[in-house]
Amino acid sequence: MKGFLRLVGVVFLIQGVGGAVNNLLGWWRWAHDLLLVNRLEFLRGYEVVVGAVVAAIGFALYALGAESGEAARKEEPS
């Protein structure tokens, strides 16, 4: 489960940071359609804010996966 949380966290983090940077600076014109924030019509006008929120959720998921891995290692008998 920890690996899955970390993977989903990384994907969300990349999508969020990529979406925010792309909409703020206009970089990566080729990646415009790859970013989920740009593909959803109801998010028009809020791309930067939603990108930051998605990145924060991704960071939280990654941290949760990393912490659950550390907790499992502490509970193992030596």
Side-chain angles (χ1 to χ4, degrees), residues 14-68:
I14 290 170
Q15 283 286 316
V17 169
V21 168
N22 187 37
N23 286 300
L24 277 175
L25 302 176
W27 295 348
W28 308 317
R29 295 276 182 213
W30 57 270
H32 183 77
D33 290 333
L34 297 176
L35 299 168
L36 183 64
V37 174
N38 297 329
R39 307 260 315 163
L40 300 175
E41 291 294 325
F42 63 91
L43 296 177
R44 292 276 183 239
Y46 301 103
E47 291 95 345
V48 176
V49 175
V50 172
V53 169
V54 169
I57 291 170
F59 181 76
L61 287 174
Y62 184 83
L64 183 65
E67 183 177 323
S68 68

